[in-house]
Amino acid sequence: QVQLVESGGGLVQAGGSLRLSCAASEGTFRNYDMGWFRQVPGKEREFVTTITWSVGITYYAESAKGRFTISRDNAKNTVYLQMNSLEPEDTAVYYCAAGSFNPFDLRKYAADAYWGQGTQVTVSS
């Protein structure tokens, strides 16, 4: 069974940084692409970034490029999201996902993924 536990959210001023962590259950990295989504009330969950399980290729949403970095530590079964130059528009609940990434069908990636419980990120102006 896939279990994902996020941590690292909090309150930060605009321009600041946060690092989110997602601890995955044993074996998850060998079977799933790991990613991050975010969601604000009243809106759909939005893709942020993913890292593939096989060779560690990364993909980013336009809003994340140049500011966010996804990485993973296979020994710790943990994936990280380093967020720099944060903006108030980045305020959301951030969710870790484990699934099969398809750059042409993000909805399916989200629909079929396993999810963590989410961690709140709030960026003040």
Side-chain angles (χ1 to χ4, degrees):
Q1 183 177 355
V2 175
Q3 292 183 324
L4 306 170
V5 179
E6 300 103 331
S7 60
L11 174 64
V12 64
Q13 288 188 332
S17 299
L18 281 175
R19 188 176 82 154
L20 306 183
S21 300
C22 173
S25 50
E26 185 69 28
T28 301
F29 280 14
R30 293 192 291 272
N31 294 286
Y32 299 104
D33 305 318
M34 302 299 298
W36 291 92
F37 286 68
R38 65 187 184 186
Q39 189 171 25
V40 297
K43 292 190 176 181
E44 287 191 1
R45 199 163 290 188
E46 174 190 27
F47 170 77
V48 177
T49 180
T50 195
I51 184 167
T52 63
W53 72 269
S54 56
V55 292
I57 297 173
T58 58
Y59 297 85
Y60 294 91
E62 285 298 321
S63 60
K65 287 181 180 178
R67 300 189 301 127
F68 294 2
T69 303
I70 189 171
S71 62
R72 67 186 190 190
D73 185 333
N74 292 342
K76 296 182 178 180
N77 290 315
T78 300
V79 63
Y80 302 98
L81 179 62
Q82 177 67 45
M83 303 186 293
N84 299 326
S85 302
L86 283 162
E87 304 166 351
E89 293 73 22
D90 295 315
T91 295
V93 177
Y94 283 71
Y95 294 91
C96 180
S100 296
F101 177 71
N102 182 341
F104 304 106
D105 196 347
L106 295 177
R107 284 179 177 267
K108 181 171 175 55
Y109 178 41
D112 296 343
Y114 294 93
W115 297 97
Q117 82 285 356
T119 185
Q120 176 70 46
V121 171
T122 303
V123 184
S124 63
S125 57

